[in-house]
Amino acid sequence: MADHQDAYAKANPLIVEQEKPANEKGLYIHPELYGQPAEKQTEWRRRPQAQQVKTASESQKTASATRLANH
């Protein structure tokens, strides 16, 4: 890894990894990349109401598509 000595790099060091907050442990930013369900996404914990609305609209789309495919 390069060692930057410029003023910006010194003032804004990169944080490669940091500990997750306790309430986000076991959750993922992109759970699908790890074979996990969407409910394991960090946003589900942060904004559960928004995710419930999203899930309901996705369920409606899936049900509509299934009805169309069966006719």
Side-chain angles (χ1 to χ4, degrees), residues 13-71:
L14 293 176
I15 300 172
V16 179
E17 287 189 32
Q18 59 188 18
E19 190 72 22
K20 279 185 178 182
N23 66 337
E24 290 185 6
K25 291 195 180 203
L27 301 176
Y28 305 84
I29 295 173
H30 297 285
E32 69 280 2
L33 299 178
Y34 299 93
Q36 298 294 318
E39 292 83 5
K40 291 271 190 159
Q41 186 176 24
T42 54
E43 287 301 310
W44 281 73
R45 188 71 48 92
R46 292 179 187 163
R47 301 181 320 158
Q49 295 83 10
Q51 297 305 324
Q52 289 171 358
V53 170
K54 182 178 175 182
T55 303
S57 69
E58 288 174 355
S59 295
Q60 290 171 351
K61 288 178 188 176
T62 302
S64 296
T66 302
R67 281 192 297 264
L68 290 173
N70 291 331
H71 289 324

